[in-house]
C-alpha cells in the first residue's frame, strides 16, 4: 500500500506542515496572517519571470524567483502603509491582486513561448503534492529543515520581539533585523509549499494551524507545538486521503483537514471553545437562579 | 463588434466594481472582498450541484448566499475573540478548498474548471448570448448591467445610512440604524458584483478592480462623491488600457487589466506625492517672503 514515493511525499508534506505551523504562529501573533496570503499570491510572477529569464524549469531557480517577488510584495505592502493614508487591508488586497495579475500575464507569455509547454508552471497555482519527484522532494526537505532549525534557534529572540518590542530594543536586540529574518522565513515557507499545495492554499497552511493553536493555549511554546503538530498532521492525513482515490487534489484536502481541526478546536477547546463557554454561561445562570 | 462587446464588458466591470469598492475601502473591508471572491466559487459549485445547470441566475443566487455565509462566518469567529485577519484567512481558505474539491469531484467535466474561474476569459464573452426583450447581448453584459442597477439602487436608497454607519457605527447604532443589516446588505452587493464580474474576468481581477481603483481614488479624494467619480474613472481607464495592452502583447486580458490597476495606482501615488511636496514648497516660500517683509 505504502509505495516508496508515497512515503517520501508523506514525510515531505508533514515537514512542510510543521514548518508552516511554526512560522504561521509567529505571523499570526504579529497580526500579519493576510500578509502571508499576499506573499503567496506574489510568488507567481516570480516563478514565471525566473523561467522566462533563465529558460529553466529547475526548482531552485524558480524558488529564487518566487522568493524575490514575494519579498517585494511584503515590502510594497509595508511601504504603502507607511507612506500613504491607505490602511493595511487595502494595501494587502491591492498588492495581492496586482501581483497575481502580473503573474497571470507572464504565465500566458510563458505558455505561448516555444520553451514552456503547457504543463509544469501552471501546477504552482494548485500544487501537485502527489506527483512530486525525488529532486523536488529533496529541496522540500532541505528548506523545511532550515526553516524549522532557524525558528528553534531564534525562538527566544522572536518571542521577546513579538511580546515586548520596546524592551527587546532596550537590551540591544536588532529588532529590525529579526523582523526581516522572520519575514524572510515566512516567504521561504510559502515558496517551499507552493509546489506541493499551490499558491492559494499555501496561505491556509500558515493561518489555520496557528489560529487553532491559539484556541487551546496562550503560552507561546505550547502554541508552537500544537500548531506544528496540527500542520504536520494535516499534511500527512491530506496527502494520504488524496492518494487513496485518483482525481482528488492534495492541496484542498490538506486544507480541509486543517479546517476540521480548527472547527473541533473552536467548538471543544476547554478554555475558549464555544461548548465550554455555553456550559459556563448556563452554570452561571443556574447559580443566579438559586441565590 | 466582438471587440466592442469585450471592451464594453471591461468598462462595465470597471464601473460596477468602482462603485462597490468605495465603501469597501472606507469600511476597511478590502480583505473580506478578497475572501468573498474566493468563496463565491463554493457558492457557484453548490448551485451547480443542486440545480445541475449552469444557469446564470442560480449562480448569482448561489454566489450571493456564499458571500453572506462568508461575511457571517467571519463575523461569528471575530465576535468569539479570534483576531480579524485570522478569521478571514481561516474561513475563505476552507471554503475555497471545499469549492475546489467539489469541482473535482462533481463537476470535473463541466465548463466550470477552476483555472477558468480564477483567471477568467473575457475574450469568450461575446459568444455566450442572451436575448431579452428582443435585444441580444452577451450574457456577461446582461449580468453586469443587472448588478450595476442593484448596486446603484442600494446606494441611492441607503447612501446616508451607509455613510453614517461607516464613519460612526456607534452613533448609527444608537439612533437605531440597522447596522448589521446594512453590513450584510452591503456584503450581498459585493458578492453579486463579484460573481457577475467573475464569470468574464476571473476572481483575481475582480479583487483588483474592487480594491485598486477605489484605493487609488482614496489617495486623492476630498469627499465620498469625489471618490466615486475617481474610482469609476480609474476602473474604466484600467479596463480600456488593459484591453489594448493585452491585445498588443497578446496575453491574458484580465491579468493585464489588473496590472494596469497597479500602474495607475503607482502613477497617481507619485503625482500626489510630488504635488503635495510642491505645495509645501510654495507655502514655505510664501511664509519666508512674509517673514522677510515683516522684518
Amino acid at each position: 500500500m505504502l509505495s516508496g514515493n508515497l512515503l517520501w511525499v508523506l514525510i515531505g508534506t508533514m515537514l512542510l506542515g510543521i514548518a508552516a505551523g511554526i512560522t504561521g504562529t509567529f505571523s499570526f501573533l504579529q497580526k500579519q496572517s493576510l500578509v502571508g496570503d499576499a506573499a503567496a499570491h506574489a510568488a507567481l510572477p516570480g516563478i514565471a519571470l525566473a523561467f522566462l529569464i533563465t529558460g529553466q524549469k529547475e526548482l531552485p531557480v524558480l524558488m529564487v524567483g518566487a522568493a524575490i517577488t514575494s519579498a517585494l510584495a511584503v515590502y510594497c505592502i509595508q511601504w504603502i502603509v507607511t507612506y500613504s493614508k491607505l490602511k493595511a487591508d487595502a494595501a494587502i488586497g491591492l498588492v495581492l491582486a496586482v501581483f497575481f495579475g502580473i503573474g497571470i500575464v507572464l504565465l500566458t507569455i510563458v505558455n505561448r513561448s516555444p520553451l514552456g509547454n503547457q504543463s509544469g508552471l501552471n501546477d504552482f497555482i494548485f500544487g501537485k503534492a502527489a506527483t512530486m519527484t525525488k529532486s523536488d522532494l529533496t529541496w522540500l526537505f532541505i528548506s523545511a529543515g532550515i526553516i524549522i532549525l532557524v525558528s528553534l534557534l531564534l525562538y527566544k529572540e522572536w518571542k521577546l520581539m513579538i511580546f515586548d518590542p520596546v524592551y527587546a530594543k532596550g537590551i540591544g536586540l536588532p529588532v529590525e533585523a529579526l523582523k526581516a529574518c522572520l519575514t524572510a522565513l515566512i516567504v521561504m515557507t510559502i515558496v517551499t509549499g507552493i509546489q506541493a499545495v499551490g499558491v492559494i492554499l499555501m496561505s491556509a497552511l500558515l493561518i489555520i494551524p496557528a489560529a487553532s493553536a491559539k484556541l487551546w493555549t496562550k503560552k507561546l511554546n505550547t502554541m508552537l507545538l500544537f500548531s506544528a503538530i496540527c500542520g504536520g498532521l494535516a499534511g500527512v492525513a491530506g496527502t494520504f486521503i488524496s492518494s487513496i482515490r485518483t482525481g482528488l487534489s492534495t492541496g484542498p484536502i490538506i486544507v480541509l483537514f486543517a479546517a476540521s481541526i480548527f472547527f473541533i478546536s473552536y467548538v471543544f477547546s476547554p478554555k475558549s471553545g464555544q461548548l465550554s463557554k455555553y456550559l459556563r454561561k448556563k452554570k452561571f445562570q443556574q447559580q443566579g437562579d438559586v441565590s | 463588434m466582438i471587440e466592442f462587446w469585450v471592451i464594453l464588458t471591461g468598462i462595465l466591470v470597471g464601473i460596477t466594481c468602482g462603485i462597490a469598492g468605495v465603501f469597501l475601502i472606507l469600511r476597511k473591508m478590502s480583505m473580506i472582498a478578497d475572501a468573498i471572491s474566493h468563496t463565491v466559487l463554493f457558492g457557484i459549485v453548490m448551485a451547480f450541484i443542486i440545480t445541475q445547470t449552469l444557469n446564470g441566475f442560480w449562480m448569482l443566487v448561489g454566489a450571493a448566499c456564499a458571500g453572506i455565509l462568508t461575511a457571517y462566518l467571519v463575523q461569528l469567529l471575530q465576535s468569539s475573540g479570534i483576531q480579524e485577519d485570522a478569521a478571514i484567512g481561516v474561513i475563505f481558505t476552507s471554503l475555497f478548498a471545499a469549492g475546489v474539491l467539489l469541482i473535482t469531484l462533481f463537476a470535473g467535466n463541466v465548463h466550470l474548471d477552476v483555472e477558468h474561474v480564477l483567471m477568467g476569459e473575457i475574450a469568450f464573452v461575446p459568444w455566450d448570448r442572451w436575448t431579452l426583450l428582443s435585444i441580444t447581448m452577451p450574457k456577461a453584459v446582461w449580468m453586469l448591467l443587472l448588478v450595476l442597477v442593484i448596486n446603484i439602487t442600494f446606494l441611492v436608497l441607503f447612501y446616508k445610512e451607509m455613510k453614517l454607519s461607516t464613519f460612526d457605527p456607534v452613533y448609527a447604532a444608537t439612533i437605531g440604524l440597522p447596522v448589521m443589516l446594512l453590513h450584510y446588505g452591503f456584503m450581498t452587493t459585493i458578492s453579486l458584483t463579484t460573481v457577475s464580474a467573475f464569470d468574464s474576468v476571473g476572481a483575481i481581477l475582480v479583487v483588483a478592480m474592487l480594491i485598486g481603483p477605489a484605493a487609488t481614488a482614496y489617495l486623492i479624494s476630498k469627499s465620498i462623491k469625489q471618490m466615486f467619480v475617481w474610482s469609476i474613472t480609474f476602473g474604466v481607464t484600467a479596463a480600456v488600457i488593459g484591453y489594448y495592452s493585452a491585445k498588443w502583447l497578446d496575453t491574458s486580458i484580465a491579468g493585464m487589466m489588473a496590472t494596469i490597476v497597479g500602474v495607475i495606482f503607482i502613477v497617481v501615488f507619485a503625482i500626489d506625492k510630488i504635488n503635495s511636496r510642491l505645495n509645501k514648497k510654495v507655502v514655505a516660500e510664501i511664509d519666508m517672503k512674509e517673514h522677510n517683509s515683516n522684518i
Side-chain angles (χ1 to χ4, degrees), chain B residues 11-275:
Chain B
I11 290 174
L12 279 174
V13 171
I15 297 173
T16 317
C17 292
I19 291 177
V22 170
F23 274 113
L24 209 59
I25 298 286
L26 293 174
R27 291 168 86 98
K28 301 185 191 71
M29 297 200 302
S30 313
M31 288 317 282
I32 297 196
D34 178 48
I36 287 180
S37 74
H38 285 81
T39 55
V40 149
L41 178 72
F42 177 74
I44 290 181
V45 181
M46 286 310 285
F48 172 76
I49 291 174
I50 294 170
T51 65
Q52 288 295 321
T53 55
L54 283 169
N55 185 317
F57 173 73
W58 289 114
M59 285 196 171
L60 271 181
V61 174
C65 293
I68 298 168
L69 182 71
T70 312
Y72 174 74
L73 288 175
V74 169
Q75 200 76 38
L76 183 74
L77 290 193
Q78 250 179 292
S79 63
S80 55
I82 291 165
Q83 65 191 44
E84 189 187 6
D85 59 335
I88 295 175
V90 169
I91 296 301
F92 97 79
T93 49
S94 315
L95 286 182
F96 183 73
V100 174
L101 194 67
L102 286 176
I103 284 189
T104 50
L105 282 181
F106 296 107
N109 33 20
V110 198
H111 157 79
L112 260 181
D113 67 298
V114 192
E115 274 176 45
H116 174 91
V117 165
L118 269 184
M119 304 185 202
E121 201 35 272
I122 199 174
F124 293 159
V125 160
W127 313 119
D128 195 0
R129 287 166 188 249
W130 272 357
T131 309
L132 247 101
L133 308 169
S134 71
I135 306 170
T136 307
M137 285 200 294
K139 192 177 105 190
V141 174
W142 278 116
M143 291 218 326
L144 281 164
L145 279 175
L146 173 70
V147 173
L148 185 60
V149 171
I150 294 175
N151 275 356
I152 292 175
T153 318
F154 182 78
L155 273 180
V156 169
L157 287 178
F158 301 112
Y159 181 70
K160 254 198 225 152
E161 287 81 357
M162 280 296 286
K163 214 165 132 178
L164 194 58
S165 73
T166 302
F167 291 111
D168 199 343
V170 179
Y171 178 66
T174 346
I175 62 165
L177 283 184
V179 178
M180 266 338 218
L181 209 64
L182 276 174
H183 173 76
Y184 288 120
F186 181 58
M187 284 295 115
T188 315
T189 65
I190 292 292
S191 356
L192 290 178
T193 310
T194 309
V195 75
S196 66
F198 147 141
D199 189 36
S200 46
V201 295
I204 300 302
L205 180 63
V206 179
V207 181
M209 280 295 207
L210 273 173
I211 302 175
T216 317
Y218 182 69
L219 291 178
I220 53 170
S221 303
K222 304 242 162 11
S223 70
I224 301 189
K225 283 187 184 124
Q226 220 181 351
M227 199 169 152
F228 272 109
V229 175
W230 278 121
S231 179
I232 293 170
T233 315
F234 292 142
V236 172
T237 317
V240 175
I241 299 181
Y243 174 77
Y244 281 107
S245 37
K247 198 180 160 194
W248 177 55
L249 289 169
D250 187 21
T251 101
S252 152
I253 299 173
M256 211 59 218
M257 286 179 180
T259 311
I260 300 297
V261 166
V263 173
I264 293 180
F265 177 80
I266 294 171
V267 170
V268 172
F269 186 73
I271 292 175
D272 185 46
K273 279 276 137 155
I274 293 168
N275 252 343

Side-chain angles (χ1 to χ4, degrees), chain A residues 100-145:
Chain A
F100 201 75
I102 298 172
I104 288 174
V105 167
L106 291 173
L107 215 57
T108 39
I109 294 176
V110 166
N111 281 342
R112 215 182 44 221
S113 74
L115 282 167
N117 43 12
Q118 290 290 329
S119 61
L121 294 186
N122 289 0
D123 283 338
F124 284 102
I125 296 183
F126 291 108
K128 51 152 195 165
T131 55
M132 283 197 296
T133 61
K134 266 266 163 61
S135 70
D136 294 342
L137 281 167
T138 318
W139 286 106
L140 182 70
F141 285 150
I142 294 173
S143 59

